[in-house]
Amino acid sequence: MQTAQSQALWRAAQEFMPGGVNSPVRSFRSVGIDPLFIDRGEGAYVIDADGNRFVDYVLSWGPMILGHAAPPVVEAVARQAERGTSFGAPTAGEVELGRRIVEALPSVERVRLVNSGTEATMSALRLARAATGRDLVVKFAGCYHGHVDSLLVQAGSGAATMGVPDSAGVPAAFASTTLVLPYNDIEAVRTLFTARGQEIAAVIVEPVAANMGVVPPAEGFLAGLRAVTRQYGALLIFDEVITGFRLGYGGAQGYYGIKPDLTCLGKIIGGGMPVGAYGGPAAIMSLVAPTGPVYQAGTLAGNPLATAAGVATLDGLRAEGTYERLASYMGALAEGLRRAARAAGVPVTVNQVGSMLTLFFHPGPVTDWESAARADREKYARFFRSMLAQGIYLPPSQFEAWFASTCHGEAELEATLEAAQKAFREL
Ligand code: HOZ
């Protein structure tokens, strides 16, 4: 594999940016090699600056569910770019995207578009605190809700990967408003609410955890959260930045049949452009300015390029059988990985939900952060490097999700499993 161009860009990047990157996991630190610089994407593939071509399971960490440079998305963005890229004023695209979100998610009557998942969770927490008049928020260890100060507590994703789950620079007073419990432990939630329920504004949860690797909710966990928050007058916030429009058109809430009070979105709803959103019942959302006292704003919020890409992506997902095909691809990949690992005598756990998957180098089961953290990161790094050398681009971290797109098919599945057999044997 040629890497001269990536290497040159990597040297230059480190002169201008901290660690050479604009988001830590991109540095490939935890997999022990220098990062590749991506030049372009085509469907299920990314091509790096040296012309190497890879089957892509990162998909920009989730948004590219229709594959890279999907023609309807490219056309929609180009059409909008010709008409202008930002006005800081209302546009029809916001109405179109907002309508689709509200129609897809019965729990959302009103939605506010923002610029990232971090902004969505930050704003949802502010709103939950205003709505309840309480300060405390419950989160789960290993879940990641963006780099909001008070949520960088036992956080997953890059924070866990880089070893900074409790970031420096977060005032102790902020962190102390967050109570952390183990994912999937509904008894711990009940016990906490019995003691402090009247002080808790909200429980925020990834309905399928995807930032400690993929960890599905245990039977009854989400329903239990719904019941206990309702009992104590706290809000239930689903962080569907990853699962929204990925597990199904109705997100995880549709998939599991649980209605949260507030929902945070990002990634897919922007079709690869920077975007986020939070929404819920009209009565709660009316507390947001200009109708209410909760201030939240953004020059680029509801940006026309982002809404154009988002609308084209959501419309593409309406095609008959989309989610069945996505899940069937990932199901076959999960089964193939288990078989290949078994044949090579490597103990692994493959957690898969719909088109999301994580291969943990740990016999399992992996049900929470404690069990996820036991995975052998060094083995994952070696597996990652072998797969990359064979043309398969996996997330550069044991604790992230692999994603499939509608462009992943037989050829990609075969190539991935063939590479995996070799990678497992090499371990
Ligand atoms: N928030 C992304 C999903 N875990 C990770 C992307 C990043 O940190 O750059």
Side-chain angles (χ1 to χ4, degrees):
M1 187 168 79
Q2 296 297 317
T3 58
Q5 293 303 322
S6 276
Q7 287 291 328
L9 286 164
W10 181 228
R11 278 192 297 276
Q14 290 171 92
E15 287 175 31
F16 309 120
M17 295 178 281
V21 290
N22 286 306
S23 198
V25 278
R26 294 180 200 173
S27 66
F28 277 28
R29 268 191 192 204
S30 73
V31 289
I33 52 172
D34 293 339
L36 299 178
F37 279 67
I38 303 302
D39 178 56
R40 61 188 195 281
E42 290 169 7
Y45 294 83
V46 283
I47 296 105
D48 73 8
D50 291 276
N52 302 303
R53 193 175 165 84
F54 304 92
V55 180
D56 183 14
Y57 288 98
V58 179
L59 294 174
S60 186
W61 307 94
M64 313 315 298
I65 193 165
L66 299 182
H68 292 285
V73 178
V74 173
E75 281 156 27
V77 170
R79 242 189 340 265
Q80 181 56 50
E82 280 173 3
R83 302 164 64 87
T85 56
S86 183
F87 310 108
T91 57
E94 293 163 272
V95 180
E96 289 307 311
L97 185 58
R99 189 198 316 280
R100 280 163 179 76
I101 293 170
V102 167
E103 284 172 359
L105 305 177
S107 71
V108 176
E109 291 174 347
R110 299 285 185 274
V111 62
R112 169 61 62 86
L113 299 179
V114 292
N115 292 301
S116 68
T118 294
E119 275 188 49
T121 56
M122 177 185 76
S123 310
L125 289 193
R126 187 180 302 145
L127 177 56
R129 287 177 166 129
T132 57
R134 304 171 181 176
D135 285 344
L136 298 182
V137 167
V138 177
K139 83 173 276 287
F140 297 95
C143 283
Y144 178 71
H145 306 288
H147 60 97
V148 179
D149 273 343
S150 65
L151 292 175
L152 279 178
V153 185
Q154 294 189 45
S157 191
T161 305
M162 300 294 142
V164 279
D166 304 287
S167 175
V170 173
F174 288 16
S176 69
T177 60
T178 307
L179 307 173
V180 187
L181 295 176
Y183 193 75
N184 273 334
D185 188 345
I186 195 62
E187 269 322 306
V189 178
R190 290 198 187 106
T191 305
L192 177 64
F193 267 85
T194 305
R196 306 192 67 179
Q198 303 304 332
E199 300 168 71
I200 297 172
V203 172
I204 186 165
V205 66
E206 292 182 80
V208 173
N211 285 291
M212 50 177 131
V214 172
V215 177
E219 184 73 34
F221 178 59
L222 298 176
L225 293 181
R226 180 61 289 181
V228 79
T229 46
R230 192 165 280 144
Q231 182 185 348
Y232 285 88
L235 301 190
L236 177 61
I237 305 175
F238 272 12
D239 178 345
E240 294 229 43
V241 168
I242 288 181
T243 53
F245 295 93
R246 174 158 288 281
L247 285 194
Y249 200 76
Q253 51 199 273
Y255 193 87
Y256 292 105
I258 304 286
K259 219 167 155 182
D261 297 298
L262 294 175
T263 300
C264 300
L265 296 165
K267 300 198 191 273
I268 287 175
I269 62 159
M273 303 292 283
V275 84
Y278 65 105
I284 298 181
M285 291 303 290
S286 67
L287 295 174
V288 177
T291 43
V294 178
Y295 197 72
Q296 179 270 306
T299 298
L300 294 171
N303 174 264
L305 292 179
T307 55
V311 165
T313 299
L314 298 196
D315 288 352
L317 289 170
R318 300 308 295 261
E320 189 69 27
T322 296
Y323 288 99
E324 288 76 6
R325 279 197 306 280
L326 283 165
S328 136
Y329 181 92
M330 230 25 162
L333 180 57
E335 234 353 276
L337 288 170
R338 287 184 193 113
R339 242 190 339 263
R342 224 172 11 248
V346 181
V348 300
T349 298
V350 182
N351 280 355
Q352 176 241 336
V353 185
S355 58
M356 300 156 50
L357 171 157
T358 295
L359 165 69
F360 291 97
F361 283 88
H362 172 40
V366 177
T367 56
D368 56 13
W369 172 242
E370 200 195 336
S371 43
R374 276 190 235 130
D376 187 331
R377 299 165 206 205
E378 183 45 41
K379 260 198 190 131
Y380 182 83
R382 283 160 59 203
F383 183 82
F384 170 92
R385 293 195 294 266
S386 171
M387 294 295 274
L388 193 71
Q390 298 178 74
I392 313 292
Y393 187 74
L394 303 177
S397 161
Q398 170 68 92
F399 303 122
E400 298 282 2
W402 308 16
F403 297 106
S405 78
T406 53
C407 296
H408 286 68
E410 274 306 312
E412 289 73 31
L413 183 63
E414 210 175 287
T416 309
L417 290 177
E418 203 174 295
Q421 283 162 14
K422 183 161 181 270
F424 281 129
R425 277 199 306 270
E426 285 172 4
L427 291 177

